[in-house]
Amino acid sequence: MTENTDLNVSQNNVVKDSVVENDTVDNDSAIEAFFSPDNSKLAVEGFKTGYVAIVGRPNVGKSTLMNHLLGQKLSITSRKPQTTRHRIHGILSNDEMQAVFVDTPGIHRNEVRAINERMNKAAVSALVDVDLVLFVVDSDQWRDDDLLVLQKLGDTNLNVVLVINKADTLKDKGSVLPLMETFNDSFDFADIVPVSALKNQNLDRLQEVIASHLPVAAPIYDTEQITDRSERFLASEIIREKIMRSAGDEVPYDLTVQIDGFKDEAAHTDPKTGRPRKACTFIDATIYVERSGQKAIVIGDKGQRIKQVGMDARKDMEQLFDKKIMLTLWVKVKRGWSDDERALTSLGY
């Protein structure tokens, strides 16, 4: 009730001040202006805004690149290929541009299950209505799946920047030049930029290149916003990452996470103890696997693995959401979910 009262007072003040200046004030315009985000500091001449798709084969460093461009861990990463399953939007705003990055699942040939088909569709559909594409490749590897991605890009009229990642791993730094020439001969790239996403090398140059290819336009999102994904979605991805990192090669690829409960509790005094309690968000999540043996792997010996996963996930959530988190995890078997169209839809794929 207090919030509504304050809001009404603020609205009245806006209208009242406007009436003093102009008796013919448009009330709807005044209210709309009140609720609009204040992007005035970015409303500079020549400001650039656009959508930037990050594409490439699995496990080439797309998520790591987006996270380091944002300066914020948003998309999950691991050694395992096809870690990213959904399109993730990350928003980078500075004084010159607002780039909305679209981190995509890796495009791959082996669509052996329904989930693989949906991941490929999610990656390819990201190329619709974007202003620029970052095509990410390894500095020392060129594989068939790279060619597959290039073929998909050849079907579009988009500007494509080739990002040669992991350039720091090259023993002979001079070898990157003939590599750049080889790539350039295979496709008409708008630019070619070697980087090391993990070590933040040459990312400033990449940002300059991105800005040069975006259209002049006002920012789409508020300048403080870093993603359009919900906290529920980000929580599920953090949990999935911690399982994949904790178990290494033991972890089954056939797992997913569903958020069952996400409840914010305001700071209050405990009626039973009389002690003050801090504001907290209670999250209940279920980890689904396909077989009983996989369930045992995720839980670990005497429950130690799932306990550690919960601790690590809660720590990341508290840092990302900037609030106290209470996390409860369950592990259940849902046979054949990764090849069941209805199950995939219900789980958000």
Side-chain angles (χ1 to χ4, degrees):
M1 183 65 69
T2 303
E3 292 181 359
N4 290 337
T5 302
D6 291 341
L7 185 59
N8 289 335
V9 169
S10 299
Q11 289 177 354
N12 290 337
N13 287 343
V14 171
V15 175
K16 186 181 293 183
D17 292 342
S18 300
V19 170
V20 171
E21 295 178 1
N22 187 347
D23 292 335
T24 61
V25 64
D26 183 342
N27 289 346
D28 290 338
S29 298
I31 294 173
E32 182 180 354
F34 178 83
F35 284 108
S36 297
D38 182 13
N39 288 327
S40 57
K41 67 178 181 179
L42 291 179
V44 296
E45 185 177 356
F47 187 82
K48 304 288 192 71
T49 295
Y51 285 88
V52 182
I54 306 176
V55 302
R57 63 174 169 81
N59 209 29
V60 78
K62 300 182 297 296
S63 296
T64 300
L65 177 64
M66 186 181 78
N67 289 340
H68 283 263
L69 283 168
L70 295 175
Q72 169 73 57
K73 183 172 182 179
L74 193 62
S75 194
I76 71 172
T77 60
S78 82
R79 293 185 296 107
K80 296 182 71 65
Q82 301 173 22
T83 299
T84 300
R85 294 180 181 171
H86 308 267
R87 287 190 300 179
I88 314 279
H89 285 181
I91 304 165
L92 172 65
S93 300
N94 57 37
D95 291 338
E96 289 79 34
M97 72 169 179
Q98 182 175 88
V100 184
F101 295 108
V102 186
D103 183 22
T104 63
I107 297 175
H108 52 288
R109 294 183 184 276
N110 297 324
E111 295 184 355
V112 294
R113 292 171 298 177
I115 188 174
N116 299 105
E117 182 180 357
R118 292 203 177 194
M119 288 163 61
N120 268 346
K121 287 181 177 178
V124 174
S125 64
L127 300 177
V128 178
D129 296 330
V130 298
D131 302 283
L132 183 66
V133 176
L134 302 184
F135 174 37
V136 185
V137 299
D138 266 348
S139 61
D140 60 348
Q141 299 181 49
W142 178 262
R143 300 180 180 174
D144 287 343
D145 281 343
D146 292 310
L147 182 58
L148 175 64
V149 178
L150 207 55
Q151 290 172 346
K152 300 289 186 183
L153 295 176
D155 296 333
T156 73
N157 294 319
L158 296 168
N159 284 334
V160 180
V161 173
L162 177 66
V163 180
I164 303 177
N165 193 23
K166 306 177 185 179
D168 59 303
T169 62
L170 291 173
K171 295 181 179 179
D172 179 10
K173 302 303 180 184
S175 64
V176 75
L177 295 177
L179 182 67
M180 291 170 65
E181 292 178 359
T182 300
F183 282 129
N184 201 37
D185 290 341
S186 62
F187 191 89
D188 186 18
F189 292 106
D191 271 293
I192 299 178
V193 185
V195 304
S196 171
L198 190 61
K199 295 187 177 180
N200 288 319
Q201 293 179 0
N202 215 28
L203 296 189
D204 289 343
R205 170 58 184 159
L206 180 57
Q207 287 192 36
E208 293 174 2
V209 169
I210 292 169
S212 71
H213 292 289
L214 294 183
V216 174
I220 301 169
Y221 296 97
D222 185 89
T223 58
E224 300 302 318
Q225 192 171 344
I226 63 168
T227 185
D228 63 347
R229 282 291 195 170
S230 69
E231 289 184 339
R232 293 176 70 104
F233 172 82
L234 296 174
S236 69
E237 287 289 272
I238 289 171
I239 295 167
R240 188 164 64 87
E241 179 196 54
K242 298 310 173 188
I243 299 169
M244 297 178 77
R245 285 181 170 271
S246 172
D249 292 333
E250 289 184 83
V251 71
Y253 176 77
D254 311 325
L255 68 84
T256 193
V257 179
Q258 178 174 282
I259 302 299
D260 304 309
F262 199 103
K263 181 181 179 182
D264 291 318
E265 183 178 89
H268 65 284
T269 300
D270 191 313
K272 293 183 179 180
T273 64
R275 295 178 180 177
R277 298 187 62 173
K278 295 181 179 180
C280 183
T281 295
F282 293 83
I283 301 175
D284 296 322
T286 300
I287 301 161
Y288 287 106
V289 295
E290 296 202 328
R291 296 184 294 277
S292 298
Q294 295 171 343
K295 179 178 178 179
I297 292 174
V298 173
I299 293 174
D301 184 34
K302 298 180 181 179
Q304 287 302 306
R305 174 166 289 150
I306 195 66
K307 180 180 179 181
Q308 188 63 49
V309 164
M311 293 171 59
D312 294 342
R314 180 175 55 81
K315 182 178 178 180
D316 272 18
M317 290 180 200
E318 289 182 341
Q319 182 176 358
L320 181 61
F321 303 150
D322 194 25
K323 55 187 174 182
K324 182 176 175 60
I325 300 293
M326 292 294 291
L327 177 62
T328 303
L329 298 176
W330 304 89
V331 184
K332 296 182 179 180
V333 176
K334 191 177 184 74
R335 298 188 184 279
W337 72 265
S338 64
D339 203 26
D340 185 319
E341 295 288 352
R342 293 181 62 183
L344 288 170
T345 299
S346 70
L347 291 168
Y349 288 89

